[in-house]
Amino acid sequence: MRRVVARYDDPADATEAEEDLRKDGYDPERPDIENPFFDPSARPPEARGLLWGGLVGGVLGAILLLAMAMDMIWFPRLSPILSAGRLALVTFGFTIGIAIGGFIGGVWGLSKDVPEAEGPRVAVSVSDAEVDEIEDRLRTHDATVVEDTVTSHGD
């Protein structure tokens, strides 16, 4: 079984979604989530830190190693890696930059508070086979976020 949670900006849209699900025999609810960390519809701040940290780090790493390959800068201990081609160096710099930047961004994101989600939520428990259909139905009522979590596994 999975629990699908949708967040809406407009309470009328949430009510319409609940009525639509009730017509077909589902039992939707308005979940009270005391801690936003456990809200599946809330995006954790470390995800944003990982994304931006990885992108910035990747670009800076690629630029740094490309500049080294073009003899614009020189670091004595890193000189042996310059025997690789420029494409390999840019790829290596991008990869290392993503790893370092993503780590720093994730740590930075963890220091931030999880934002309190605005707007009503609608939650419904469905079988694994029905998840895609229910997510599509919730999105047709203008859900801003639709996420699902596994609540129990079958035998």
Side-chain angles (χ1 to χ4, degrees):
M1 292 293 287
R2 289 187 183 223
R3 184 170 188 237
V4 180
V5 179
R7 187 173 66 226
Y8 294 89
D9 287 334
D10 186 12
D13 291 335
T15 304
E16 289 175 13
E18 284 180 317
E19 291 172 3
D20 183 31
L21 293 172
R22 281 197 181 99
K23 280 193 295 188
D24 289 337
Y26 295 103
D27 187 26
E29 62 176 336
R30 296 275 178 113
D32 291 331
I33 299 172
E34 297 173 6
N35 186 345
F37 183 75
F38 296 108
D39 181 2
S41 67
R43 185 170 184 209
E46 67 269 14
R48 184 173 180 187
L50 283 168
L51 174 70
W52 286 106
L55 286 175
V56 170
V59 170
L60 289 177
I63 289 171
L64 179 67
L65 284 186
L66 181 62
M68 286 177 66
M70 297 175 66
D71 293 327
M72 297 174 87
I73 57 174
W74 180 70
F75 293 108
R77 299 279 182 186
L78 297 178
S79 296
I81 67 169
L82 293 178
S83 61
R86 285 188 182 167
L87 181 60
L89 284 173
V90 170
T91 305
F92 180 68
F94 189 73
T95 306
I96 296 299
I98 285 175
I100 294 171
F103 176 77
I104 292 170
V107 169
W108 174 79
L110 285 174
S111 67
K112 302 291 182 194
D113 291 331
V114 177
E116 184 66 35
E118 298 293 325
R121 297 174 195 85
V122 174
V124 62
S125 294
V126 296
S127 67
D128 290 349
E130 298 172 309
V131 169
D132 292 333
E133 175 193 346
I134 295 300
E135 286 179 351
D136 291 340
R137 289 176 68 178
L138 290 170
R139 283 189 183 102
T140 60
H141 295 285
D142 297 328
T144 55
V145 178
V146 178
E147 291 292 332
D148 67 274
T149 57
V150 176
T151 56
S152 64
H153 296 280
D155 294 319

